[in-house]
Amino acid sequence: MKSAEHAIKGNWASLLLPIEADDSIEFSKLGAEMDILIDANVDGIYSNGTAGEFHNQTEEEFDRIQLMLAERCRKMGIPFVIGACQPDPAIMLNRVRRAAALAPAAIQVILPDWWPLTDEEAIDYLNRASGIANGIPILLYNPPHAKRVLAPRELGAILAESPGVVGVKLADGDANWYAEARDHLSGVSLFVPGHHLATGIREEVAAGAFSNVACLSPRGAQRWTDLMLADIDAAVEIEQRICKFMDQHIVPFRQKAGYSNAALDKLLCAIGNWGPVGTRLRFPYRWIGEDEAQRLRAVAKQELGDIMI
C-alpha cells in the first residue's frame, strides 16, 4: 500500500508540556524531554497534538516550542512534525505559515472546531492550509472528539479534492472499518491509535502512529514498532496486552472521572517515568495525581515488561 512507502511513518513520539504550579511552561524541562526523545531514536517527534495542549497556549509559546523542536531535531537528523492545530481557523492558518518556515516533515491541522464544516468547506480549508504551507505536506487530525468524525468514505471524498493532504491521524475501528479504509483511503498515510498499531500494520492500512504507547515508553514503543516488520504475530500479542492494560487501568480515568485524553497521556508518561514532564495540565483542566502513576508503574512493569524499557 502506498502509505507504507511515505516518509512519514512508524512510531512518532508526542511532545508533552511540563507545566509548573503557576501554569507556566518549564522550557528547560521541555528541552530535556526533547533530548530524551531524540536519544530514544524514535522514528519522529511531533508537537502540539492533544496531549501537547495545543488548545491552551499563547502564540508566543507556540513559536518558542516549535523553534526549540526544529533546532534540536535538525541538529540530530530526527524527523519532526509540527502541529499547527487550533480551533480558530484564522489562528491555525497563521500557525501553519509560521510552522512552514521551520521546514518540518509535515504540518498537522484539524478542521475548525467551533462549528462543523461541510465537505465543501473542509476542502476549501485544507487547500488554503496547503497553499500556505508552501509545499510542506499537510496531515489532518480527525480524532473521535472532533465535531465531525469522518468515515473512510467521507474522508476519501474530501481528500480526493485536497491533494496537499498526505495523511490522517484518526481512530480506527472494526474489520468493516478497515475494509472501508482500504477501499477509500488507499494511498493516504493513516495514523491509527498507538495501542492499535500492530493491527493497523497487519491489516495493511496503517503507516504508523502518533503514539500513546510512546508516551508510556519511547524506547519500548520503538522496539515494538520495529518488531512489527519482523514478527507481526508477536507484535499483535504485545498489542493485546497493551490494550488490556489500557482498558483496565487507564481508560477508567476518563470513563468514570471524566479526565481528558491529555491527562491520560501524561499519566502514561509518568508511569513510564522516562522524562521530566509530570502529570499536571494547564488550568482549567484537571490532571491525575502522581501517586496513581507510582501505583500503576509496578503493574505496567509486570504486564508490559517488553514495553517498559
Side-chain angles (χ1 to χ4, degrees), residues 189-203:
S189 291
L190 299 184
F191 298 89
V192 299
H195 58 297
H196 294 170
L197 180 55
T199 293
I201 295 294
R202 184 185 62 188
E203 294 287 339

Side-chain angles (χ1 to χ4, degrees), residues 2-44:
K2 288 182 181 178
S3 59
E5 300 168 5
H6 198 278
I8 306 169
K9 61 183 179 181
N11 171 50
W12 286 70
S14 174
L15 200 60
L16 306 167
L17 298 185
I19 301 296
E20 296 296 283
D22 64 358
D23 270 335
S24 65
I25 300 170
E26 178 49 78
F27 282 95
S28 63
K29 291 181 179 178
L30 182 65
E33 178 194 351
M34 292 176 185
D35 293 340
I36 291 168
L37 291 176
I38 290 169
D39 188 60
N41 201 31
V42 293
D43 289 319

Side-chain angles (χ1 to χ4, degrees), residues 17-277:
L17 298 185
I19 301 296
E20 296 296 283
D22 64 358
D23 270 335
S24 65
I25 300 170
E26 178 49 78
F27 282 95
S28 63
K29 291 181 179 178
L30 182 65
E33 178 194 351
M34 292 176 185
D35 293 340
I36 291 168
L37 291 176
I38 290 169
D39 188 60
N41 201 31
V42 293
D43 289 319
I45 302 172
Y46 75 103
S47 67
N48 281 45
T50 298
E53 299 176 76
F54 70 77
H55 51 283
N56 201 10
Q57 60 187 240
T58 68
E59 296 311 284
E60 181 182 10
E61 290 168 337
F62 171 87
D63 288 340
R64 187 172 176 184
I65 293 165
Q66 314 323 316
L67 182 60
M68 286 178 63
L69 181 63
E71 289 179 342
R72 279 173 158 80
C73 287
R74 278 201 298 262
K75 180 179 179 180
M76 302 305 296
I78 295 289
F80 66 100
V81 164
I82 291 177
C85 306
Q86 224 284 345
D88 181 298
I91 294 174
M92 185 158 41
L93 291 176
N94 279 326
R95 287 186 175 188
V96 170
R97 181 178 293 107
R98 294 177 346 250
L102 298 174
I107 299 171
Q108 183 170 267
V109 300
I110 59 173
L111 296 179
D113 207 44
W114 176 247
W115 192 265
L117 300 189
T118 66
D119 288 1
E120 293 79 10
E121 289 167 339
I123 291 166
D124 289 346
Y125 183 80
L126 292 171
N127 286 330
R128 176 76 63 88
S130 182
I132 290 172
N134 198 28
I136 292 174
I138 294 290
L139 301 176
L140 174 62
Y141 180 24
N142 188 231
H145 54 275
K147 287 287 175 65
R148 276 195 72 191
V149 179
L150 299 166
R153 181 186 296 273
E154 297 173 305
L155 197 50
I158 289 170
L159 296 187
E161 304 297 327
S162 312
V165 181
V166 302
V168 187
K169 179 186 177 184
L170 74 180
D172 59 351
D174 59 13
N176 289 333
W177 184 92
Y178 274 101
E180 290 183 21
R182 283 189 291 268
D183 287 343
H184 300 290
L185 295 170
S186 178
V188 179
S189 291
L190 299 184
F191 298 89
V192 299
H195 58 297
H196 294 170
L197 180 55
T199 293
I201 295 294
R202 184 185 62 188
E203 294 287 339
E204 299 184 339
V205 165
F210 295 95
S211 179
N212 57 346
V213 181
C215 291
L216 179 64
S217 171
R219 292 181 185 276
Q222 189 62 49
R223 187 169 74 173
W224 178 48
T225 304
D226 294 341
L227 178 64
M228 294 172 201
L229 301 179
D231 189 343
I232 189 61
D233 291 335
V236 169
E237 188 277 328
I238 293 172
E239 177 183 297
Q240 292 169 348
R241 287 189 281 116
I242 294 171
C243 288
K244 182 180 178 182
F245 175 81
M246 296 287 190
D247 288 342
Q248 290 184 345
H249 303 295
I250 304 301
V251 174
F253 284 105
R254 184 179 65 223
Q255 292 178 333
K256 297 178 181 179
Y259 286 105
S260 67
N261 284 352
L264 303 190
D265 284 346
K266 279 194 167 179
L267 174 64
L268 289 171
C269 179
I271 292 169
N273 196 32
W274 53 264
V277 176

